[in-house]
Every structure is written in structure tokens, then in C-alpha cells.
Amino acid sequence: MATYLEFIQQNEERDGVRFSWNVWPSSRLEATRMVVPLACLLTPLKERLDLPPVQYEPVLCSRPTCKAVLNPLCQVDYRAKLWACNFCFQRNQFPPAYAGISEVNQPAELMPQFSTIEYIVQRGPQMPLIFLYVVDTCLEEEDLQALKESLQMSLSLLPADALVGLITFGRMVQVHELSCEGISKSYVFRGTKDLTAKQIQDMLGLSRPAVPIQQGRPLQTPEQPVISSRFLQPVHKIDMNLTDLLGELQRDPWPLRSTGVALSIAVGLLEGTFPNTGARIMLFTGGPPTQGPGMVVGDELKTPIRSWHDIEKDNARFMKKATKHYETLANRTAANGHCIDIYACALDQTGLLEMKCCANLTGGHMVMGDSFNTSLFKQTFQRVFSKGFNGEFRMAFGANLDVKTSRELKIAGAIGPCISLNAKGPCVSENELGIGGTSQWKICSLDPSTTLAIYFEVVNQHNAPIPQGGRGAVQFVTQYQHSSTQKRIRVTTIARNWADAQSQLQHIEAAFDQEAAAVLMARLGVYRAESEEGPDVLRWLDRQLIRLCQKFGQYNKDDPNSFRLSESFSLYPQFMFHLRRSPFLQVFNNSPDESSYYRHHFARQDLTQSLIMIQPILYAYSFHGPPEPVLLDSSSILPDRILLMDTFFQIVIYLGETIAQWQKAGYQDMPEYENFKHLLQAPLDDAQEILQTRFPMPRYIHTEHGGSQARFLLSKVNPSQTHNNLYAWGQESGAPILTDDVSLQVFMDHLKKLAVSSAS
Amino acid sequence: PGFAPPPSSTGIGPSSYPPTTGAPRPPTMPGPPLPGQTVAGPPTSQPNHISSPPPPSAMSGPHPGPPMSGLHGPLPPTHPPQPGYQMQQNGSFGQVRGPQPNYGGAYPGTPNYGSQPGPPPPPKRLDPDSIPSPIQVIEDDRSNRGSEPFVTGVRGQVPPLVTTNFLVKDQGNASPRYIRCTSYNIPCTSDMAKQSQVPLAAVIKPLATLPPEETLPYLVDHGESGPVRCNRCKAYMCPFMQFIEGGRRFQCCFCSCVTEVPPHYFQHLDHTGKRVDFYDRPELSLGSYEFLATVDYCKNNKFPSPPAFIFMIDVSYNAVKSGLVRLICEELKSLLDYLPREGNMEESAIRVGFVTYNKVLHFYNVKSSLAQPQMMVVSDVADMFVPLLDGFLVNVNESRTVIASLLDQIPEMFADTRETETVFAPVIQAGLEALKEAECAGKLFIFHTSLPIAEAPGKLKNRDDKKLINTDKEKTLFQPQTSFYNNLAKDCVAQGCCVDLFLFPNQYLDVATLGVVPYQTGGSIYKYAYFQLETDQDRFLNDLRRDVQKEVGFDAVMRVRTSTGIRATDFFGAFYMSNTTDVEMAGLDCDKTITVEFKHDDKLSEDTGALLQCALLYTSCAGQRRLRIHNLSLNCCTQLADLYRNCETDTLINYLAKYAYRGVLSSPVKTVRDALINQCAQILACYRKNCASPSSAGQLILPECMKLLPVYLNCVLKSDVLQPGPEVTTDDRAYVRQLVTSMDVAETNVFFYPRLLPLTKADVDSDSLPAAIRNSEERLSKGDIYLLENGLNIFVWVGVNVQQGLIQSLFGVSSFSQISNSLSTLPVLENPFSKKVRSMIDMLQVQRSRYMKLIIVKQEDKLEMLFKHFLVEDKSLSGGASYVDFLCHMHKEIRQLLS
């Protein structure tokens, strides 16, 4: 093992896990002094080309409170056919099927390279995937048309045996029956009335009627599928029918949107018919809910939708009630193992702030766009149904993540698209970070990039001995429904060395993963920001940063210039600088919906994407050399450069002043300036590459010096040159940013001052 | 005077005389002294005066004497003969038969005739032939008044009877087809009115259909300022308004207020004080006309949209299984082309919508642009709403193919239904909401089969309990079981949502409750108990066709204004009233009648008479807002005799029946019956006391115009509502009760005293009907075939001894025993007799607003019991008195009042 960097990378690739600390401080006290908690980013379904699943059940520890899965870290007595659980030290008999086991004949789960292993198990009936479209009809004609086409197109992308259903809504909510021939039939509900699941099922005729037992007639056994199939049909049977139905969808003549009730009905429908089966409720909405439970804004056009200002002033009339409505729905949905996607396309806000929990708690997607008639929506939606390298849909359902720890560790909580399963146990900490108080979480829908942050607490007492040669271990057991409808279990078991922070601080320091730490801290910050005032969160982040610098910096007291950070910490302050400016923590210039949207994605993406979100990447293209990454700094904005910025949500191509002039002059069309043409093309090609792979599809912005859209770039770069210091610098390069925000330089200076201050 | 009856007569004549048709009539009323009674030989020739047998127990027994029967001469002496007064037929009862040798001196109407004979005679029976005969009265009126048109120019004229065919010429008063009164001469004071106890009422049928020979009311447009009205009482311009000051002002004929004539309406007066344009303006010269309403007369100050018809079909198991759903759908396909149209319009402006339901509702989108109709199910019956706006109500022509496709598919879609429960109130709510959304008035046609027991608002339970009959709680059977429907009806009226209900029950479905909304919205109820496709489809389809096609107005408000002195105080009919003066009807069709009662609040004067103006504001079937005005002038009298001489018994019965039928809602039936008897006894006693010649107390003297009051009243008393037989269901009673409330005079007339026609006496070569005979079994001959109709049913009664030839030609079978009594129509046979009978039946069907159910009754067959129920002069099985018995009872009552 060469470096920690490689170690970290290797671990991530094999196990989908990145820890903030790769050598663990061995006592509670020391751990808390590390400032950044012991935590990891876990990507439970990380794509592993080299991991063929095994077709048998995992072997479990027989201790009822443990039930850890047999793994390479277990000690095995091949002669006695016994294995010792590395978490609870229970000695277990191998099951009969393992009779032939020996040192040379090991099952996969005992081999070290299988620290992550996937089992396919046969449990219960295999249920097809379910896709329930919930479609807003209060759209502009053009939008509706585009949406219809997207939906029709999507039918061809679904698994052939998937069940589909259609609910449309406007002032009323219509549940379409898909089975009937000839006349098309739908059940209609008032959009203003919330109904209980029972009522919905009664009204849809889904509740089991007390059928009088008919004499001499055998009871039909497959009753359930028959009943529910009226609204949910295999796509291969009714795709024609559904295509026609979508084609005939009319705009709602009443401009009222009953999103709350529509979702409630969708949830109730699935709850009654297919509980605990993989199902997506896909909500397509073109505006905010304007009536009924869950309404976000009144139907009068003169009243605008709530802004951050209104929320601060406690002027958002409907927000609390609406949020409560959607939270209740989201919790019900999650309890049933279904997920809700929100595809919201409108120029104004659509109430994502209130509805966000629907996607956040169930692992559903949240997509925000200007119109359904944009490639942003169309391609994003198409990508929902994209397939992985092995031709399988990149979606999984109803996952149950169980985390087991060795005795020195306890679980403090998780942050990500999950809900708690309230599994109390010996390894659950009393101190909560994120969603805590449990060792199990439910992730109703996940894809290979879904990433959870999991926080631990070291509970070993300061004076207790470090387990001799012992390593701390964590096991992640993820049971889920694969897109092929198989039940699978993925088990990842990792171990890290303990170190005494007093004597071996440099080991711990060296094993610090500053990228993971930045993301893990950011998740905590964003999680707090959802419930706390923005400035408080910033203050907390600052304090943590200062403490970290105090702990790991090298400096002379009260001498800022003497301050140094080791390499493994060097980037961390910069991440924090950008995080402070990011839309995840700053609401200025963002609508409440946008904030919710950004935070939604931040809380589920993997480390790489999260870092891009925190600190966008900037590439420069010029005649001076090959494309190169440049500092996210205003000094990088030069007239003879083309910049490509990726913020995850936006891809900005910015032509420098001179380049833009050349382009206007049409040099690129002249044969003798073909190299200019190539220069112009290069960032476009690179942008395409990013656009192709990312979900959701980023907003693609092509702008130039002085263009109005250049603001996307200018707001992200570090304002090293502003109108305040431009002349002081007296340089020609770079572009001044008209802002009073502090630059990284100022930030760092201040940080150093505080870190070295003996007062704090 | 001085005439002594033969000792044995004792005022009661034998009834053994066979009725002889075509016998000469007894003398006309007061007429000139009759020539020796030779013609009118029979002892019955003394009209109006009937002395009852002194001891009530003496009703039976032999009647040896000549048939003197104490029926006495015409007018009381106080009234000198009025030769010119031909219309008031006298002696119009009692079949005249052959000369009676003994009868000689009977005629002159001696007051003491028929008085208590010295020795109590052996019990006698009143001769049915000697008592007033409805048939005779009808025939007389027909022959006397049927030929000349009835010209309405004169104040207080009594029109011909409803049973008479006559033409009307409007010369300033509304045709009797629109308004009939109980009396055309109103007492000047309330004391007089109270004394006489004669109710003052008008039976108004504002949108009555006229025969083709008569012209419809002209439509008058007074321009933007709207119809010219009195400033104070708001009466509309009418022929009785008095123009003064050279035509610059007019004085209101109702309240005497003087109003300026608007400039655009000014016209000079001629030397008689008449406006020069008198004949050019319908509102000045006619009794009935229409005004075009301005926007002020419209709801929300907006001209109305054309109305809509919504068809709402029960598709529960019973409805589907009986074939009803298929039948309705098939019929609607063609029927929709015959929606009511305004005058010369090419297509109807009415839009249509469709709903089916069982315990949930299914709405249909039949928008013309759709390839297929779309069904939208609303299961939230607790909170009904309409799931679609665009495409629910459509123009028939535009959406023809979609509608056809829908009507084809409805029976298929529900063919396998096993849903037996239905809802009802939500169905009405759905229609109401749909009309609200569309901002129009309209009519719901609801086809319903069962008691709505599904969980929903307006859910009902079976509360039928025959044990309540004849108890104080009987009234609850007629009352709705929940007030929910009353509130719903109120909402419907506010929107102009009229409900027509077609019921197909196989068991109790609580007509009393289900009928509340149709009743209060001016709709109709049709009931087909135990509906069977083969036997009932013709009747149902005919009713449906007529109901859909008939002329109808929507969102109607009727106000009756009267001269100072009397006031409309009570209203009977199918409507809703939110205040004491305005009759509101969501819909009003050409068959609906409102009976209005008047009371004095001041004195009237003989000079000015009394005026009525009935103004009906409504929306036509094309969506035009109009006012229909009917004016009627009546005389006023200070003499009671004038009142009695200008009464109309048919109208009186119409009023009394409606009054009594309303009474059963609040009082025990017995109380209602007693009150009816009592009121009539008082009416007759008052006449006897004040108008009849002094005569012995034992003599029954009836006013000429009211001589049928006892027989008709008896029919009302023994009707199913007031005296149900064991076979009459609670639903039937509630149904009939509501039905009668909207009936006009002609309908109540034949409903209470059915028409009985001897078919075998029909002249196959003429298209006239044979003369009717009286409703009594003893008038039936075993060798004849009779037809009886009462507006709801037609019975064809076949005697056991009818010639085989007749049976063959009518039924196509060779013998009496082969006649099937399950026939619902007569077979179509090519022979004169069959043709004649069938054309007669067709003719009768056309006359009635509902298609009558045809029932074949064979003499001595089970069904005969049912038939006998309609022989109203006989004693009924349910305990109703025979005509003769009742007359005696009335006489007793009157005598008690007089003593």
C-alpha cells in the first residue's frame, strides 16, 4: 500500500465507502477532539463490474441481537467447522452446506477481496416493478404536448412486465382504469378533499368486498392482482391503450391544481394494492398546488408564491400545513416501500419546498426545469430509465440498510434519502447526528450513485486498552429489490486500525480523508440548515473549521503567518470557503424551491459529485496549451480563454472577451483559422460528455464575456478581484467581480488569525 | 203543490228500471211549465231534489212504488224561470225512461213532495237512475255547448265543462284551458263567502297546450324598458287597465294606482276611451299573451343560456337484468332528435348529458372531438361534484356519433354487474352541480329502480308499515322520511333544475321521499311497478317520449295578482314557495297545473267585479326569458244564488281533492274525510237554506251546478289515498297523492269518475266515441265489452256472454276462455271492430298526459276485483260507500245542519 490516497481510492472502488478518518482514534475523548466526526460516505449499490452475485443465502451470526453476516474478518476454525463473529465474538457452527469447507476451499464471503459481496436470495413472490404516473393537466398546451410525448416515449423504456398506472389532476383528480376496452374509464375525485387510504380504496372499489361465498364455485385465488389490475396493468398489454389515453389528455379547463390530493390518492392506491413492492410514483407538475390539502399558494394570480422573505417574516400562509400534508404522505409512502419522484417544470416555483420530503424520504428523484418542452427535462426523464453496464435498470427498491459495528463504535445517525426503521440495539448511540436512534434505515429507492453519510461515535473509554491488534469493524448489510425484481443482499465489511491519538496523532492525521470529511461536514451543515437559521449553521461550520485548524495546524500562538496545515488537510479550508458560499447554505438569490432542490441532490450524490457541488470545477481552453483545470478564481477569467465550469447543476461555457470578438468576426468559419474552430469546439465536446452522464441533466449555459448569463460563472468564482481591490492590484488579467463577498484570501487570513489566537 | 205522492213511494223510487239510453232528457231546468210530463214521464224527472229515505236503515228492501224517488223539480221558486239561461242544465240526472203512467203530477216540483210520508214506509232504496248522473250532465253540456265557440269577452262567464269539446276565442279573458274557477261569481263580502263555504279557487295551467285551431299567445316585446306595469302593484299591462287623461296615464285595474304611460307606449284614445291601437296590441285586447323579458327579469342580471337535459340511468342489477337499461339507451338514440324546439328553429338549443349510476356515479364525456366517449366515475357520493365541464353537456347533432357509441356501450358495460345497491340524492346533486357549472337551467331524467340504501346522503330505510293505516301515524307514510330531500329540492329550484323521475320498483322504494324533489321542482314522477319489458315497454317509452318532447319552461316564477278585496292565499301543485306569494318552479311543463285559493281581505263590488292576473316568468326551451300573462275577470255578487248558479263542480272537486290530499300529510285520513264531507254538507245546506224554495226538510235539493258534487265527492273520499283497499301499496298512495296535486280539471274529473264506454255499442263507421255509461256494475251487461279509463289505466272488460265473433275480431282468439289477460295491447287485426277499438284507445291515449296501461279484464276473473275498484258508483271493497248510500248520508248531514 503506497499512500493513503491510493488506499482510500481502492477502498472506495471496492466497497463504495469513504471514511473521514482511516485510522481511528481509540477513545471517545480523543475522537471528539478530532472535530470532524468519525463517519463515512456509503454508496450501497456502487456499480461493481467485477462483482458477480452469489446465488445463496448469507450465513448469519446466531446471536439474535447481532446477526452479522459471515465475512472475511471472521476467524474460522476449519476443523471444527466453526466461525467466530467479529462483532460479538459469538462462535457459530457453519450450516450443513458448508461441510466441505477448508483453508483451500473457502466460500467467497471468506475471501479478503470479497469484503463486499452480493447475494441473490429467493424470498417471497417476485413482484413486477410499478410505475404510477401522476400527471398535472394544468399546463400550457405546448408543455402538455411535450410532456405527453415524453410519457409516451417512456412506455417503451419500461421493463416489459412492469405495471403502469395513470393519475391525472387539475381541479379534479382522475385515476384512469387501464384495462377496459372501448370506452375509457376513470375514477374522479374532488381535488379539495383529503381522503384516508381506506376511503380511497373503497371509492376505487379496491377494498375486498365481502363477497358472499358462491355455492359450488371455487373461490378465485389470485383475487388481489385481478382487482388492482384495473388501475395498474402490465405495460406490454396496454401500452397502445395508454398511448391513446395520453394522447387524448386535455388541458384542465379550471386552472386549479390539486397536487396534494393527487399524490394522496396515488399513495393510497399503491398502499392498498402493492404494499412493500418496488414502485415509483412519478409526479409531473407544472406549477404549485393551488387548492385542497397541500396547497402552497392561492389560485389568485395576484398573490405570489412564498419567498424566503415571506418565510422569515412568517408570512407563508400555507407552508406549514402543506409541508405537514406532504410529510405525512412521504412517511406513508416510505412505510410502504414506495418512492415518489417529482418532476417540476415551471418558470416560477412549484412548491418543492413543501413537497421535498416526498422525494427526500422515499429516495425519489427531484427534477426542476423551466418547461417540459426542454431537453433538460426530456433527457433527464429518459435517463431515469437508463440501464447500467449489464443491461439492468439503474434503480433498486425497498432497500433496508443494516449497520453493525464492533463494540468500540456506536452508530450516531445517517444523512441521505432514507428513513429510520427505529431499530434500537446495542450499537446505537444516544447522540444523534442526522437521522439517528437506529441501526437500520429504509431507502425506498436507490441507484448506483445513491450515497448515505453515516456517522459513528467512538465509545471506547480513554483509559480502556486498545484492543490488542484489534481493528474496528463496520458491516453494512443492504437488502433490496433489484430492478430485475430479484431480492438481493449486499454485504460490505470494512475494518480500520485503531490508534492512540496522543502517541500516534500523525498516523491519524495522515489517514484523514479531507474530501470525505468536507462532504460529511457539509451534509451535517445542510441537514442543520433545513431546521436552523442560516447564520447559525455558518457559525457552527466556522467554529468547527477553526477548531480543526487549531488541532491539526502547526503554528506559533498569535502568529498567523506561522500557520501551516499538512497536506492531508490543505484543501479542507478551501472546501469550507466554497461551501459557505454555496446555494446549500446561502438562500440569497435562490428561491425556497431552488434551495430545496439543491439540498435534495446534495444529500444523495456520491463524493465526487458532492465535491463538484461544493467547489465547481473550472477548465480553461486556450491557444497556450492543452485544456487545463484552473483555479475557481476571478483571476482565471481571461480574454483569450474559454472557460468550462461544472457546478453539477449547471455547465457553463464562457468565451473570454477576445475569443468572443473573434467568434463574432467569424474566424472560425475561415479555413485558415481552423484551429480556432477546434478551440471553440473543444469545450463543447467536453460539456457533452458531462451532459451525457449526469443525472439530473445540468442546465447548459453558453455565454461570453459581458453576457447576462455570465453571472453563473461570476457568482461561483472566488472574488479575488473586485471593484474594491481591482486598482490596488493593478493587474490587467482577470475579471473583477462586483461583490462585497470576501475572497478566499481574506477568508484564509482571517481563519489563520483565529486559529492561532490564544484567546479562543 | 198539492201533489200527493202515491202512498207507497215515500220518496224513494225503485231502481229496477233498466237504463235506457237515448231516452229523452228530462225538462230543462226551470223551463216553461212542462207539458204534462208526458215525455219526462219517469219519476225521476224532478231534478235537484232528492229526499232521502227517512230512516237510514230503510235503504234496502223492495221498492214497490213508482219510482218517484223524491227527485224534484228544477229551480227553487225563488228563481223565476230564466229562459235565456240555457246552459245551466237542469234535470241532468237520472235516465229517463219510458212513460210512467203514475207519474202524472209529479213534476211541478212541489215543495212538500217527498216529505216524510205519514206512515214510515217499508225500507226503500234510492233509485240510482233517479239521482244526478254525471254521464247525463256531461252529455248535456256537450250537446248544448260543444258547437259554439266559447268567446271570452264577457266577464264572469262560466265555460263549458272540461268534458266538452269546444273552441275558445280569446277576447280579453284567458281561455278556460289556462284558468278555470270554482265559481265565476264571487261573493262581495267575506261573510257571504264564509256562509256559503264554497271555496274560491282557480285552477291554472299556464303553459297548457292548445288545440291547433286556437292561436298561441302572442309574444309582445316592449323593448329595453320591459313590459309596462303598474307602479304600485306591478301588475302587467292588460285589457282591464283604464287609460285616462287622453292616454297619458293609466289606472291600474287591480290597485287603482295611476301610472304614467311611458313615452314609447303612448297612444291616443278614441271617443270611447279606448286606445286607438287597442286591436293591434295583444296585451290590450287579449286575455293571454307573452312579454319578452328584459335582463332585469333574469337571474344574476344575465340572459339565461339554453337549458340542458341530463339523462341519469340506474345501472344496478335490477335495471340491467330487466332489460331496462338497454331499452332506455336504444330509445334515447332516436329520441334525442325530438327535443323541444322553439317555434321554427331548425334544431333544439337544448344540450344533453349522460350519467349512469348504482352506488357510484358515472359521468360521460361525449365531446364531439372524441373518438370514444369517456367514462368518469365519482365514488365520493358523500360530497358530490361534477368531474368535467367541457364535454358533459353537448349539442346532440355535434356529438351524434359519440353519443351513439356511448348508448351502444352502456348496456354492455354493465351487463355483468352484480351491484344491487343504489344511491339517489347524490344523483340529483350531480345533475344540479352540472347545471350549476354550466350556468343553465334544465331537467334531469332519472330512471331509478330501488330504495336507495347505499351509504350516501339521502340514504333511506324501508319504513313501509301497513299497520299505520287508519291510525294517527298514517300521515307519516306520506311524509318524506328525511328533510334532506326538501333542502335538496330548494337548491334545485334555485338553480332551475327540474327533476323527472321514472321509477321501476319491484318493491317498496318510498315514493313519498323520492318524490319530494321532482314534486317541488315542478317535475313529474312515472311509476312502473314490476316493470316487465314485454308488457310495459310501450307505456314507458310513450311516457318518456312525451315527457322529453313536451313543451316546458324553466326557472319559472308565477305570481297571481288580484283586485283589491281578494287575495291569493293558498297554492296547490308541484312547486316550491320561499315566500307567500311567489310560486317557484324549476321546470313547468304544459301538463302542470297549479290550483290557487283566494280569500277575501276586503269587500268587492258588483260593478267592477274581480280580476285575476297570473304572470309566469320563465325561460323557454331556447333559453329566452319570457313572461306569460293570463287575465281573467269574474263577476261579484251580493246574492248567494248567483254564486251557486255560476259554480263549476269539476273545478271544485279539483280543489277539494288537492286540499284533502294535502291534508293527509298533517292530519289523520279520517279527519280529512270528515272535513270534506262537512264542508260539502255546509255548501249544500247553505244553498238549501238560502236559495232553494221552502220545502220539507226531508227533501234533498241540490244546486243545479253542484248536483254532481255528492257523487264526485264520494269518488274522492273513496280514492286510494283517502280510503285504501288492502291491495293498495303505500307507494301507490304516495304516487297518486303527488300525481293528483298537479292535475288539471279534466284529469281530476276522469281520474275520480272514470269514463266507461261500451265498446260493443261503438259505431264502427264513425269516429265518435260511444256514449259513456255510469260506473256501476249493474250497468254492465254480460254480453258486452267495455272500456274504462281514468287517465292512468285502461281496462277492457269482457263479459262472459260476449259473442264469439266479437271476441274473435277483437282478440283474435276463438273463445272467451282463450283471451289472455296478460295482453298489454290489443292485437292488430284487420276488421272494423278491432280497428275501431284500437283507434278509440289511441285517441284516448293521445288525450291524456300519460300513456295508460291497458289491462284486459275478463268477467268473473281474478282481475275483475281490480276493475271493480273503478266502478265508483258501487260500494267499494275498501268500505267506500256507494253513490246512493253516500247521497243519503249527505242528505242526513245537510238535514242535521239545517235543523
Side-chain angles (χ1 to χ4, degrees), chain B residues 245-404:
Chain B
E245 295 179 26
R248 285 196 299 279
R249 293 168 165 212
F250 68 92
Q251 184 169 31
C252 177
C253 50
F254 297 95
C255 71
S256 308
C257 172
V258 174
T259 303
E260 293 274 350
V261 173
H264 66 88
Y265 197 66
F266 175 78
Q267 188 56 263
H268 291 290
L269 307 184
D270 68 9
H271 61 283
T272 61
K274 239 190 220 171
R275 277 172 61 121
V276 177
D277 59 356
F278 181 83
Y279 290 105
D280 302 334
R281 291 192 176 268
E283 75 273 23
L284 297 181
S285 51
L286 297 179
S288 302
Y289 44 87
E290 291 198 324
F291 287 119
L292 201 59
T294 60
V295 77
D296 298 339
Y297 292 82
C298 303
K299 209 185 276 176
N300 306 328
N301 278 333
K302 255 167 79 182
F303 279 113
S305 321
F309 281 2
I310 304 177
F311 298 90
M312 315 183 94
I313 306 165
D314 180 348
V315 288
S316 64
Y317 178 73
N318 281 338
V320 173
K321 192 180 131 233
S322 65
L324 181 65
V325 173
R326 189 173 295 277
L327 181 69
I328 294 169
C329 290
E330 278 305 311
E331 178 61 25
L332 283 182
K333 276 191 231 168
S334 50
L335 187 55
L336 292 179
D337 287 330
Y338 298 96
L339 299 178
R341 281 179 292 177
E342 186 110 75
N344 47 7
M345 283 173 68
E346 268 190 23
E347 65 175 38
S348 173
I350 292 174
R351 288 173 299 161
V352 296
F354 303 88
V355 171
T356 57
Y357 66 95
N358 37 47
K359 69 180 190 188
V360 298
L361 275 80
H362 320 113
F363 294 78
Y364 295 93
N365 185 346
V366 281
K367 199 172 164 174
S368 55
S369 58
L370 292 176
Q372 278 284 326
Q374 293 175 345
M375 177 200 237
M376 298 172 127
V377 185
V378 174
S379 336
D380 190 2
V381 289
D383 192 4
M384 192 37 69
F385 62 94
V386 180
L388 73 171
L389 180 63
D390 193 19
F392 179 62
L393 294 177
V394 295
N395 175 296
V396 175
N397 280 334
E398 286 170 11
S399 291
R400 183 170 299 278
T401 52
V402 191
I403 293 175

Side-chain angles (χ1 to χ4, degrees), chain A residues 171-172 174 177 181-190 192-193 195 202-204 211-212 214 217 245 248 250 253-254, chain B residues 360 364 367 370-390 406 409 413 418 437:
Chain A
R171 183 170 135 177
M172 316 275 175
Q174 278 176 268
E177 193 174 309
E181 308 264 308
I183 206 160
S184 71
K185 193 170 167 185
S186 59
Y187 283 67
V188 189
F189 295 82
R190 213 187 252 282
T192 51
K193 195 171 161 188
L195 301 164
D202 283 350
M203 288 178 183
L204 291 174
V211 184
Q214 296 225 331
R217 196 172 164 188
L245 196 59
E248 283 202 340
Q250 296 293 314
W254 295 289
Chain B
V360 298
Y364 295 93
K367 199 172 164 174
L370 292 176
Q372 278 284 326
Q374 293 175 345
M375 177 200 237
M376 298 172 127
V377 185
V378 174
S379 336
D380 190 2
V381 289
D383 192 4
M384 192 37 69
F385 62 94
V386 180
L388 73 171
L389 180 63
D390 193 19
L406 172 67
Q409 290 184 64
M413 275 191 290
R418 283 160 72 188
E437 296 284 2

Side-chain angles (χ1 to χ4, degrees), chain A residues 125-129 161 480-488:
Chain A
Q126 288 198 359
M127 295 303 292
L129 300 184
D161 61 344
Y480 68 100
Q481 180 183 344
H482 190 256
S483 63
S484 66
T485 76
Q486 285 165 342
K487 290 259 169 27
R488 294 195 181 188

